[in-house]
Amino acid sequence: MLLLLLLTVGCTIPKKYQKDKPFVYKSTVTLISNQKGSEKVQLRDRLISYLDDSLQVRTVLGVRLIPPFFYYRLLKPPVFDSLAIDRSKTFMNGLLNAEGYFNPVIRDTFTIDTIGDQMRVKVDFNVNAGKQFILDSVGYDLETPELQALTEQNMSASLLKKNQPFSIEKISADRDRLINLFRNHGYYKLTREDLFAERDTVVAALIDPTLDPFEQFRLIDSLQKRRHNPTINVTMKQRIGKDSSHLLKYYIGDISVYPDLPILQDTLAAESKASMVDGYRMIYSTDKFKLPFIARNIFLKKGALYRQEDYYNTINKFSNFGAWQQVDIDLTERMDSVPLLDATIRLFPARKQTLNIDFETSRNASDVLTTGSLFGIGLNLGVTNRNAFRESIQTNSNIRFGVELGTRVVQTVQTGLSYKIAIPRYIKPFQFLNLRNFTNPRTIIDFNTTYTLRRSFFEVRSVNTSFGIEGTRRNHTWQWIPFNVEYTNVRRLGDSLANLEKRIPSLRQAFNNGLILSQVIAYNNRRVLDNHLKFFRTKLESSGGLAGLITNLDKGSLRRFLRLDAEYKYFVNYPKSTWAFRTYAGYGYVYGKSGDTMENNLPFFKAFFAGGPYSMRAWQVRRLGLGSSAIYDTVKADRFGDIQLEANVEYRFNVATIAGVKLKSALFVDVGNIWGKAFDKDGNKIPETQFNFGRLYKDLAVGAGTSVRFDFDFFLIRLDWAYQLKNPVFKEKNGWFQNISVGNGQFQLGIGYPF
C-alpha cells in the first residue's frame, strides 16, 4: 500500500514554455465505433498516435519532496497552431479508411485556460467511425492462365474472407501471399506492383449505357441496402507491364559456394582451391569445414525450378548453424534455352571458440537445514565451440564452483561439470524424419554431474545424461528425449538431518537415493496477431515405465512416475501498457516402490513448489502449501508437492525514462497453491495437504501487490512488493485479510519479467 502511495502521479506541470502564448496541454480522442473491448481500445490508441506531432503531449516523470511525490513535466511545449487540428483529422481519416470506415465523422473542440502566464490549450476529438465495411465478395481475376490456376489451387490460404471486416492491411498481406506463391513456382521477377486490388465495381457498372434496365434496378437496390449494412467487393487483378520477363519461369543455373570468406574481404585469396561437390562449385582457402556437409545443407539445386522458399531456407539454415556470422546469396540472371539464375553463396565464418567467465552472488533465506540465511558466491567457466568436427556442431563445456557462507564460515560447497553437444541435423535413429518440415532440426546430447557438500548434514553426488532431438516448424517447437538417465546419491553426515526428518516426516522423500530412467516429450507454440501474443507450452516425462518391470529396480532406487505440466500466457500490448495473463497446471502420478512400500511423492528435484519472485510473490520461495495445512508453519521448511495450480494477472505500464533507463511499474494478482501427500509424526495422512475439488476455494492462496522495474533494454531489474490477501492456513473468513499491515508484505527481487 505504501509503495502504491509513493507511485501515485500528480498533475502535469509545464516547464520552459513560451509565456503568454498558447501551448497544447492535453489532447484526447473519444471514439464511437461498433468495435468492442480491446479492439476498440487499440483503434483509439492508434488514432492518438496519428495526431500531428505538435498535438502530441510528451511528458517525463518528475520527483519532489511533497505529496504527490511524482508528477509529470511537460518540457518545452510548442506553440499551438490551429492548422495542426486539420492535419490530425486528415491523418485519422486516412487511418479509418484503411480499416474499412469510409464515412467517419470527426469533430474537434479546443479550449484555452489562462493560469498566470500560461495559456493551456486542451484539444478534444470526437470520432464517430460509423459502420465498418464488410467484404461481400472476394475474387481473383488474373490475365496469365497459369497464375490464375495457381491462385485457385491455393484459395484456402486466402487472407480475404467473405463477411469479414475490410482492411487495406489484409489486402496488402494477401497480395504478398500471392507474390510468394508465384515466386515459389519460378516467377522470380514478379513483384507487388504486378498485382492490384480493384474495389467495388457496382458504382462503375451503373454508368454503363449498355446495362440492362432491370440490372440497373438490382444494383440501385443493392446500394440502398448498403446504407444499413455497408459491404464492399474486392477483386485481385494482374497489371500487365511492359517488361515481359516478369512472366518468365526461372531455373537454377550454376552454384558457386565460398565457405570461408574473411568478413573484411569479399575476394578470393591467391592460394584458394576449387572442388566440385554434388554439383556445387566450392571455392575455399582453408579446411575449416567439410565440403559435403555444406553441400547437403543447400536447398538450391542446379536445374531445379526457382523457389523463393529454397532461397530463404538456405540463408536461414546457415545463419542458424552458428558457425557463420554472415550469409549472403547473390542471384544473376542468364538466358540459355530457359531463363537461368546463377547463385553465388558467400559464407563468412564466426569465431570458432569463445570463453565465458561469470561471477555470481546469491542469498539463500529459505534453506531447510539452517535457521539463518546463507550468502553464496559462485564462479562459472564455460567454453563454446561453434564448429566442432568441422560440421558446425556446437559444444558447450562448463565448470562451476560455488560456496555458501554461514555460521561455520563455509557452510556448503558445490561443484559441477556439464558438457553439451548440439548436432544441427537428426542422426540415427531419427534420420527418417523429413528435414524440410523443420527450420532448425538438432540432435542434443547432454551430460552433467554435480557434487554438493553440506557440512554436518549430507553430501550429494548426482549425474545426468540425455539424448534427444528438437525442431521448429513455423510457430511450433517440438522436443523429444527418448533417453534420460539421472542418478542421485545421498550420504548422511551426523545426526542433524535425521533429527530434522523426525520433526518433518515428509522431508525423508527429499534426501533418498534416486534413479530416474525416463523419456520426455515437450511442445511449445507461439502466435502473434496484431497486439495479441499467445504462448503455450507443455511437457510430459515418464520415468520407470518399462525398467520398473524389473522387480529389483522397482523396489530399489528407481523412481516410477508420470509428470505433466502445461503453461499458457496471453499478452495484450498497447503503446504504453500491457495486460499479461498466465495460467499453469502441474500433475505428478507416483506408482513406484521403495522396498515393499509404495512411494507417495515425486523426488524433490522433480516436485512442484510455489512462492518466490517468479510464482506466488506474497510468499517466500517454497513457503506456500501444502493445501490449507498448517503443519509446515511450525518449522521453517521447504514444501514440495505433486500437484500445482496457479494463475497470474499483471497490468504493466510505463512510468518515465530517466537517464536512458526506462522506469516501469505493474499491479498484479497471484492465485494458486500446491498439494501432495503428507504425514504427521505418527504416520497419519493429513487430508488438508491433498487436492480435493470440494476444498479448492479454501485451499487457494491469493496475493497481490505492485512493482518497480528498471528496464535497461538488455535486462530488467524487478522489485516486487506483495501482500497475502488470502492465506489458506487461517481458518477465519476462509483465510481472507488475515494479519495484514502496511509493513507486513513480502519483498521479491527478480531479474526479468515473472512470466
Side-chain angles (χ1 to χ4, degrees):
M1 299 299 179
L2 179 61
L3 190 56
L4 282 173
L5 176 63
L6 293 176
L7 285 177
T8 301
V9 179
C11 59
T12 300
I13 300 178
K15 297 288 185 180
K16 298 182 180 180
Y17 53 88
Q18 297 188 44
K19 298 179 180 180
D20 299 321
K21 290 187 178 181
F23 60 85
V24 179
Y25 180 78
K26 185 178 181 181
S27 295
T28 60
V29 174
T30 302
L31 174 64
I32 301 173
S33 76
N34 55 1
Q35 289 182 318
K36 302 295 182 182
S38 62
E39 293 182 353
K40 184 175 181 179
V41 174
Q42 182 186 4
L43 179 58
R44 186 199 62 194
D45 290 341
R46 292 181 65 188
L47 288 170
I48 293 175
S49 68
Y50 270 66
L51 294 179
D52 187 82
D53 284 345
S54 64
L55 297 185
Q56 300 275 358
V57 179
R58 297 178 175 88
T59 58
V60 296
L61 189 69
V63 183
R64 58 186 179 184
L65 299 178
I66 59 175
F69 299 105
F70 297 100
Y71 68 96
Y72 284 122
R73 289 188 298 170
L74 178 59
L75 295 174
K76 297 181 180 179
V79 175
F80 172 67
D81 182 0
S82 60
L83 293 178
I85 293 179
D86 293 330
R87 290 196 295 268
S88 298
K89 292 169 69 174
T90 300
F91 298 153
M92 289 191 291
N93 191 75
L95 171 63
L96 292 169
N97 289 167
E99 292 297 319
Y101 298 94
F102 292 109
N103 299 300
V105 177
I106 304 176
R107 295 185 174 90
D108 65 272
T109 59
F110 69 89
T111 60
I112 301 178
D113 297 331
T114 302
I115 301 177
D117 59 1
Q118 300 179 20
M119 298 180 67
R120 299 180 176 182
V121 179
K122 297 181 180 179
V123 183
D124 298 309
F125 292 94
N126 189 289
V127 180
N128 190 332
K131 291 189 175 181
Q132 190 175 19
F133 275 65
I134 303 300
L135 290 173
D136 184 51
S137 66
V138 178
Y140 297 88
D141 184 15
L142 307 183
E143 298 289 339
T144 305
E146 187 169 349
L147 297 182
Q148 179 68 20
L150 284 173
T151 301
E152 293 174 355
Q153 292 168 11
N154 292 270
M155 284 291 291
S156 60
S158 174
L159 303 178
L160 303 176
K161 305 292 184 181
K162 184 177 179 178
N163 297 325
Q164 292 295 315
F166 170 87
S167 169
I168 289 181
E169 183 179 354
K170 287 184 179 180
I171 292 177
S172 178
D174 196 59
R175 183 168 59 173
D176 290 337
R177 176 189 67 87
L178 290 176
I179 293 300
N180 290 334
L181 172 65
F182 300 151
R183 287 180 178 175
N184 281 331
H185 286 79
Y187 293 95
Y188 166 71
K189 299 191 70 173
L190 271 178
T191 65
R192 299 176 84 252
E193 286 68 32
D194 291 308
L195 299 180
F196 69 97
E198 184 177 84
R199 292 177 286 173
D200 214 353
T201 58
V202 174
V203 177
L206 280 173
I207 62 175
D208 184 357
T210 63
L211 191 65
D212 183 86
F214 291 101
E215 182 65 15
Q216 286 185 341
F217 286 131
R218 187 188 68 79
L219 293 178
I220 291 174
D221 181 63
S222 176
L223 285 176
Q224 290 175 343
K225 291 180 179 179
R226 290 189 183 193
R227 295 177 181 177
H228 304 286
N229 297 293
T231 60
I232 192 169
N233 304 319
V234 173
T235 303
M236 196 72 71
K237 292 191 173 185
Q238 181 181 354
R239 182 180 288 111
I240 302 299
K242 297 180 180 179
D243 190 349
S244 59
S245 65
H246 284 214
L247 299 178
L248 295 178
K249 298 178 70 172
Y250 284 78
Y251 293 80
I252 300 299
D254 297 329
I255 303 175
S256 301
V257 185
Y258 300 87
D260 55 2
L261 286 175
I263 192 63
L264 298 178
Q265 178 182 341
D266 197 15
T267 58
L268 293 179
E271 64 274 12
S272 62
K273 296 173 286 186
S275 300
M276 291 297 298
V277 180
D278 296 336
Y280 302 101
R281 184 170 180 263
M282 304 281 183
I283 302 97
Y284 57 98
S285 56
T286 67
D287 294 324
K288 290 182 179 180
F289 304 98
K290 293 180 180 179
L291 302 184
F293 156 71
I294 293 176
R296 69 170 176 259
N297 285 289
I298 299 175
F299 289 83
L300 299 171
K301 307 296 181 184
K302 184 175 181 178
L305 188 67
Y306 170 79
R307 298 175 72 248
Q308 181 174 260
E309 188 176 82
D310 293 338
Y311 173 87
Y312 285 114
N313 281 343
T314 301
I315 293 178
N316 293 334
K317 190 77 170 180
F318 286 96
S319 298
N320 290 331
F321 278 148
W324 291 275
Q325 60 179 311
Q326 184 175 323
V327 179
D328 294 331
I329 301 180
D330 293 331
L331 299 177
T332 305
E333 299 176 44
R334 174 166 60 93
M335 291 301 299
D336 203 332
S337 57
V338 294
L340 296 177
L341 292 171
D342 293 331
T344 302
I345 303 175
R346 296 182 175 88
L347 307 176
F348 301 86
R351 181 175 296 180
K352 182 178 179 180
Q353 293 183 330
T354 57
L355 174 65
N356 300 312
I357 301 177
D358 298 322
F359 181 78
E360 63 183 31
T361 62
S362 63
R363 179 176 177 269
N364 185 355
S366 60
D367 194 273
V368 299
L369 302 177
T370 58
T371 57
S373 62
L374 302 177
F375 179 75
I377 56 176
L379 179 67
N380 291 303
L381 176 65
V383 177
T384 300
N385 185 339
R386 296 188 179 90
N387 188 33
F389 311 106
R390 297 192 297 144
E391 291 192 359
S392 191
I393 296 174
Q394 183 169 303
T395 64
N396 291 281
S397 305
N398 188 274
I399 299 175
R400 184 185 184 278
F401 177 80
V403 298
E404 284 184 328
L405 307 178
T407 57
R408 299 186 179 185
V409 186
V410 177
Q411 182 73 38
T412 306
V413 177
Q414 185 180 67
T415 59
L417 171 66
S418 64
Y419 184 70
K420 180 178 181 180
I421 303 175
I423 304 171
R425 67 180 188 280
Y426 296 144
I427 63 175
K428 292 181 179 180
F430 309 110
Q431 290 177 319
F432 66 90
L433 296 173
N434 186 356
L435 295 181
R436 284 187 177 273
N437 288 338
F438 298 99
T439 57
N440 190 22
R442 299 199 304 169
T443 301
I444 307 294
I445 303 172
D446 206 345
F447 171 84
N448 63 78
T449 181
T450 59
Y451 171 80
T452 303
L453 172 65
R454 177 64 57 82
R455 296 182 60 184
S456 302
F457 283 96
F458 63 83
E459 63 176 5
V460 177
R461 297 177 176 88
S462 64
V463 62
N464 168 233
T465 185
S466 63
F467 173 74
I469 60 172
E470 64 181 32
T472 301
R473 185 182 182 186
R474 297 188 179 94
N475 300 319
H476 312 277
T477 300
W478 294 88
Q479 184 184 60
W480 178 33
I481 302 175
F483 180 77
N484 179 66
V485 179
E486 302 177 47
Y487 182 72
T488 301
N489 177 267
V490 180
R491 187 170 75 90
R492 287 163 166 76
L493 304 177
D495 298 328
S496 300
L497 181 57
N499 293 333
L500 187 61
E501 289 176 338
K502 290 179 181 179
R503 300 170 63 189
I504 313 171
S506 60
L507 288 179
R508 293 169 186 165
Q509 64 151 330
F511 302 101
N512 287 329
N513 296 344
L515 172 63
I516 291 178
L517 301 175
S518 69
Q519 64 172 318
V520 180
I521 298 176
Y523 168 75
N524 291 272
N525 177 266
R526 179 179 185 271
R527 291 186 179 277
V528 180
L529 180 61
D530 296 328
N531 65 328
H532 297 253
L533 281 76
K534 301 177 183 179
F535 299 88
F536 174 76
R537 71 165 188 86
T538 185
K539 181 179 178 181
L540 173 65
E541 181 174 7
S542 173
S543 174
L546 294 177
L549 299 177
I550 302 174
T551 304
N552 290 337
L553 285 177
D554 183 25
K555 294 184 176 183
S557 57
L558 178 66
R559 299 298 185 98
R560 304 184 73 187
F561 61 85
L562 291 172
R563 187 184 189 277
L564 173 67
D565 68 309
E567 181 181 44
Y568 177 76
K569 295 185 289 187
Y570 178 60
F571 302 91
V572 183
N573 295 315
Y574 300 110
K576 296 182 180 180
S577 63
T578 296
W579 278 101
F581 305 88
R582 171 184 177 264
T583 57
Y584 176 85
Y587 174 73
Y589 173 68
V590 181
Y591 59 97
K593 294 181 179 180
S594 292
D596 294 324
T597 304
M598 295 297 296
E599 294 175 355
N600 295 302
N601 306 99
L602 289 169
F604 77 98
F605 48 90
K606 295 291 184 180
F608 302 101
F609 63 89
Y614 304 95
S615 181
M616 301 289 295
R617 283 162 281 184
W619 283 262
Q620 295 181 15
V621 63
R622 300 186 182 91
R623 292 300 177 87
L624 174 61
L626 301 170
S628 55
S629 172
I631 187 173
Y632 284 90
D633 285 6
T634 60
V635 179
K636 292 184 177 180
D638 287 359
R639 299 110 187 259
F640 302 96
D642 300 332
I643 297 176
Q644 182 175 7
L645 294 176
E646 191 168 315
N648 316 87
V649 179
E650 279 198 349
Y651 177 67
R652 304 168 181 171
F653 54 93
N654 299 339
V655 177
T657 299
I658 302 175
V661 179
K662 300 173 184 175
L663 178 62
K664 301 182 177 182
S665 184
L667 303 174
F668 60 82
V669 176
D670 302 323
V671 181
N673 208 335
I674 61 171
W675 295 264
K677 294 180 181 179
F679 304 85
D680 59 24
K681 61 182 179 180
D682 298 323
N684 300 315
K685 285 185 179 181
I686 304 174
E688 292 84 359
T689 67
Q690 301 184 53
F691 182 83
N692 187 314
F693 276 108
R695 295 182 55 86
L696 183 59
Y697 173 75
K698 168 62 180 174
D699 289 350
L700 284 176
V702 180
T706 187
S707 177
V708 176
R709 298 168 181 183
F710 302 93
D711 189 351
F712 296 88
D713 290 332
F714 49 93
F715 75 98
L716 180 140
I717 297 177
R718 175 166 48 89
L719 309 176
D720 293 340
W721 183 258
Y723 291 92
Q724 298 177 7
L725 301 186
K726 181 179 182 293
N727 190 336
V729 170
F730 294 99
K731 306 302 180 184
E732 297 181 3
K733 299 180 181 179
N734 284 322
W736 282 100
F737 306 112
Q738 303 294 312
N739 196 25
I740 294 180
S741 62
V742 173
N744 195 24
Q746 177 65 46
F747 172 75
Q748 304 283 2
L749 170 63
I751 303 297
Y753 288 105
F755 57 90

